[in-house]
Amino acid sequence: MQIIQTVLALALTLGILVTLHEYGHFWVARRCGVKVLRFSVGFGKPLFSWHDRHGTEFAIAAIPLGGYVKMLDEREGPVPEALRDQAFTSKPPSRRIAIAAAGPLANFLFAIFAYWVLSVVGVTHIAPIVGDVASDSIAQKTGLQQGMEIHAVDGHRVSSWRDVNMRILERAGEQGRITLDVSNAGARGSLSGELGGWNLSDDTPDPLGEFGITPWRPDVPAVLGQIAEGGRAQAAGLEVGDRIVAVNDQPVSGWFELVDRIRQAPGQTLSVTFERSGSEQTVQLTPAEKQDNGQVIGFVGAGVKPVTWPDSVMRDVRYGPLAAIPVALNETWADTRLTLVAIKKMVTGLLSPSNLSGPITIARVAEASVSSGFEDFVRFLAYLSVSLGILNLLPVPVLDGGHIVYYTIEAVRRKPLSEAAQALGLRIGMAMILTLMVFALYNDLMRL
């Protein structure tokens, strides 16, 4: 069932983003006088299709990993004289550039719209209040302490752990100083420390954790709120409402400590003491094994009761329709900047290419974001839409950016590049994209 949910989440996510991207090409092509033959979401054999009054075929294909807009093009076959002025190749370079750029532009516009909707509807964040600071970490060297709330990173305002995470991630692999604006018990101040070229791990990057920050979270008692049917917890006789007191005679202080103990003991038999109806009992519990980001961890099929966060750490953020416009633009620019910085650091070696993700990771994150609710899913769509727009604008043959480069050269030279040069570029571009895809898929498989 989880696999089905993950596949459906991937299809939904890519379906939305691909449709928007291709619609950008389609919409501008129509307005530039180009005849569109087919608008396809997905590759391969169409599952079903229909035609509009202009003769364009709209299709939903079997492989939901992309899409395309097929236009009347003299390079792909003879074009009747009566339709030659509607061919893509008959249009001046400026119009072809507009058509090529329209897909990525649609992705950026969608991200702006998505963030505008979230800003108007309003979101509730958990304030970025520090829980623990790891010893000898960069966070400790800056002077960060437990209980401090972070308000800005390098002068950029932050209101959630997501914002902090993104700002810290931008500084991965860098030298120089990082500045944090914080408050503690109502007093505001600024902290600063040397980065020293700190970097993310190759396998399980965790910017906050590797920076040395553990977010504050309320004390959650180790009381079972959910028991999965057929899981190890049920098999051991545990029930909803049981409070775990100790594991292997070592006291358990709360839920998160219990989770850590179980995760660290895959396949090991644990002596679990719990309290039920005022009396203590002990059972033998053996966590099952599963892969998580390349590591084998234990799990028993039990969940916690819903966690209630105190009002003092909740931050409601809402804007009016006009005030939300610059907020949406800033959010989209932050995503754009983060993606560009990540690409630059991968190219220069400051960030490991192992952080590159492919369809499997996208599917897992999509499934998690769909399950988490409307806000998380929309934010994920917006960020992925920006990434898709940037990727397609890279000056690589096959991608929109490569076509834009070709048409720009043609506009300057007043004649197109030779077919041999374009064919060579196509082969190089295909090789680059296939290599990138295989590497991303390899990284995905290593994370399973």
Side-chain angles (χ1 to χ4, degrees), residues 68-197:
Y68 61 92
V69 172
K70 183 179 181 180
M71 295 172 250
L72 191 65
D73 194 317
E74 293 176 298
R75 296 170 297 184
E76 297 183 4
V79 174
E81 185 64 35
L83 297 177
R84 186 159 295 173
D85 64 332
Q86 298 181 47
F88 178 79
T89 43
S90 72
K91 303 303 177 183
S94 59
R95 294 196 177 188
R96 280 178 276 152
I97 290 173
I99 294 170
L105 179 60
N107 289 123
F108 288 110
L109 290 176
F110 169 75
I112 294 170
F113 173 73
Y115 284 128
W116 179 85
V117 169
L118 289 179
S119 299
V120 172
V121 172
V123 295
T124 301
H125 297 305
I126 297 171
I129 298 174
V130 178
D132 292 314
V133 178
S135 60
D136 201 34
S137 64
I138 297 176
Q140 185 186 59
K141 293 174 183 177
T142 64
L144 207 59
Q145 298 177 12
Q146 185 179 31
M148 288 183 171
E149 180 176 349
I150 303 174
H151 297 281
V153 178
D154 291 332
H156 299 285
R157 187 178 66 85
V158 295
S159 59
S160 68
W161 280 117
R162 175 184 178 273
D163 296 339
V164 176
N165 216 24
M166 292 181 66
R167 291 301 176 184
I168 289 178
L169 182 59
E170 285 188 17
R171 302 300 306 275
E174 294 184 8
Q175 302 288 338
R177 300 184 70 83
I178 187 169
T179 302
L180 307 174
D181 294 345
V182 300
S183 66
N184 193 10
R188 299 289 289 260
S190 181
L191 306 174
S192 181
E194 289 289 340
L195 287 169

Side-chain angles (χ1 to χ4, degrees), residues 324-395:
I325 295 175
V327 174
L329 291 171
N330 287 335
E331 290 274 10
T332 304
W333 168 242
D335 287 352
T336 302
R337 175 180 167 80
L338 178 62
T339 304
L340 291 173
V341 168
I343 292 174
K344 175 185 175 182
K345 289 183 177 181
M346 285 186 189
V347 172
T348 58
L350 291 177
L351 193 63
S352 171
S354 63
N355 291 298
L356 192 66
S357 298
I360 297 177
T361 298
I362 292 173
R364 294 172 65 187
V365 176
E367 195 274 333
S369 64
V370 169
S371 302
S372 298
F374 174 76
E375 179 192 344
D376 286 341
F377 183 55
V378 172
R379 284 188 179 278
F380 174 66
L381 280 178
Y383 179 74
L384 200 58
S385 189
V386 169
S387 300
L388 181 62
I390 292 173
L391 175 65
N392 274 278
L393 284 175
L394 294 178

